[in-house]
Amino acid sequence: MDIFLQQMVNGLTLGAVYAVVALGYTMVYGIIQLINFAHGEVVMIGAMVAFTVINLLAAGGLPPLAVVLVGTACAIPVCMLVSYTVERLAYRPLRRAPRLAPLITAIGASIILQHLAMLVWSRNVLAFPQIIPLKTFSFLGATVTGVQLAILGICAAIMCGLAGLVYRTRLGRSMRATAQNPQVAGLMGVDINRVIAATFVIGAGLAAVAGVMVGTYYGVAQYTMGSILGLKAFAAAVLGGIGNVPGAMVGGLLLGVVEALGAGYIGDITDLCRYGPLARAVGERCADGGHFVLFGSNYQDVFAFVVLILVLVFRPSGLLGERVGDRA
């Protein structure tokens, strides 16, 4: 039971991050039917910008929370600008092109952003300064850190705020109208280009926050970190029903829990370590107990995609997706 509760905590923390990133995928796809594969690189840029700002301010005597908030405040507009530029230059000219052209363009934009980040921040693994003291809490035998609680709280607030934006505001109504039928929405006075650009910008803001959370939680960042994170977030969006905002939330949380439980009970468990899956990828080892995230399962990345395949085989529209007819 102790292992189960611990893995549930780890899974919900990771799943909350997946859900926030998946919201960017599902919002863009729901409106223009585009899979924005560059979204993972926007997450990476958010983590890198925050890393730079936090390093500059870490020795300035500011409170640790203020340093992280300033880093996040700097990362959000940078990611918004990057995402808006990609949409304006790469996606908008191909909006009426065959679907394969925007997809290839999205992959190309992802590669370009990744290598630009490598030129700016190098190919080395960057270690975030440990400015936030680690506080742990015990609950029924499971260990929860203050960082995990902060991530869960921030992600819950983001999800509730986005749901309110989509379903309770004028912009949200315009987004839903554009997703339903962009031609009719345009005839009704909706500025389609503005709505689509706003969708990319909002998704980029969420990606920036997710990047900061990933960087501060795992303590490391690298220019390739957005690839696997973006792929898993896209899988979470598909799992919940891509184009469905609540589905992205459910899919992300479910994906994180499946990974954690699968690694805890089926995978090759070797250690409990501070840095978790990202550290495994770069060979980091630690023994201080830090975040108590499962370390060393050789099969952790497999479980999520096995579940995804099973869901798509038996329910192709996703868990909360609905079968809809083609647009006229």
Side-chain angles (χ1 to χ4, degrees), residues 124-162:
N124 299 324
V125 177
L126 307 177
F128 271 65
Q130 296 297 319
I131 60 175
I132 300 179
L134 292 176
K135 295 183 179 180
T136 60
F137 307 92
S138 296
F139 176 74
L140 298 178
T143 301
V144 185
T145 69
V147 175
Q148 285 178 316
L149 293 175
I151 289 176
L152 290 172
I154 292 170
C155 290
I158 288 174
M159 294 176 195
C160 293
L162 183 63

Side-chain angles (χ1 to χ4, degrees), residues 160-176:
C160 293
L162 183 63
L165 173 69
V166 171
Y167 296 106
R168 300 293 182 183
T169 66
R170 182 175 180 179
L171 176 60
R173 289 193 295 271
S174 298
M175 293 168 65
R176 287 183 283 127

Side-chain angles (χ1 to χ4, degrees), residues 67-209:
V67 173
V68 175
L69 291 177
V70 172
T72 305
C74 293
I76 289 175
V78 172
C79 289
M80 287 180 171
L81 179 61
V82 169
S83 187
Y84 176 80
T85 303
V86 171
E87 188 277 330
R88 185 66 180 85
L89 299 180
Y91 298 152
R92 188 175 299 185
L94 299 175
R95 199 171 292 165
R96 297 184 181 276
R99 289 189 178 183
L100 189 60
L103 179 62
I104 295 173
T105 302
I107 297 173
S110 172
I111 296 173
I112 291 172
L113 292 177
Q114 189 176 114
H115 284 77
L116 287 176
M118 182 186 69
L119 293 175
V120 175
W121 288 284
S122 80
R123 63 174 67 244
N124 299 324
V125 177
L126 307 177
F128 271 65
Q130 296 297 319
I131 60 175
I132 300 179
L134 292 176
K135 295 183 179 180
T136 60
F137 307 92
S138 296
F139 176 74
L140 298 178
T143 301
V144 185
T145 69
V147 175
Q148 285 178 316
L149 293 175
I151 289 176
L152 290 172
I154 292 170
C155 290
I158 288 174
M159 294 176 195
C160 293
L162 183 63
L165 173 69
V166 171
Y167 296 106
R168 300 293 182 183
T169 66
R170 182 175 180 179
L171 176 60
R173 289 193 295 271
S174 298
M175 293 168 65
R176 287 183 283 127
T178 304
Q180 185 73 25
N181 193 313
Q183 289 77 22
V184 174
L187 294 175
M188 298 295 291
V190 175
D191 189 340
I192 303 300
N193 289 330
R194 174 179 169 272
V195 169
I196 294 174
T199 303
F200 274 88
V201 167
I202 293 170
L206 301 182
V209 176

Side-chain angles (χ1 to χ4, degrees), residues 262-264 266-270 280 294-301 303:
I266 304 176
D268 178 20
I269 308 171
T270 59
R280 185 186 71 248
L294 184 67
F295 176 88
S297 171
N298 294 324
Y299 305 102
Q300 180 171 355
D301 296 339
F303 302 123

Side-chain angles (χ1 to χ4, degrees), residues 46-52 54-55 126-131 211-212 214-222 225 274-275:
M48 292 299 198
V49 172
F51 163 80
T52 303
I54 289 173
N55 265 341
L126 307 177
F128 271 65
Q130 296 297 319
I131 60 175
V212 176
V214 170
T216 54
Y217 180 55
Y218 291 136
V220 291
Q222 192 184 22
M225 64 179 288
R274 175 179 181 177
Y275 290 127

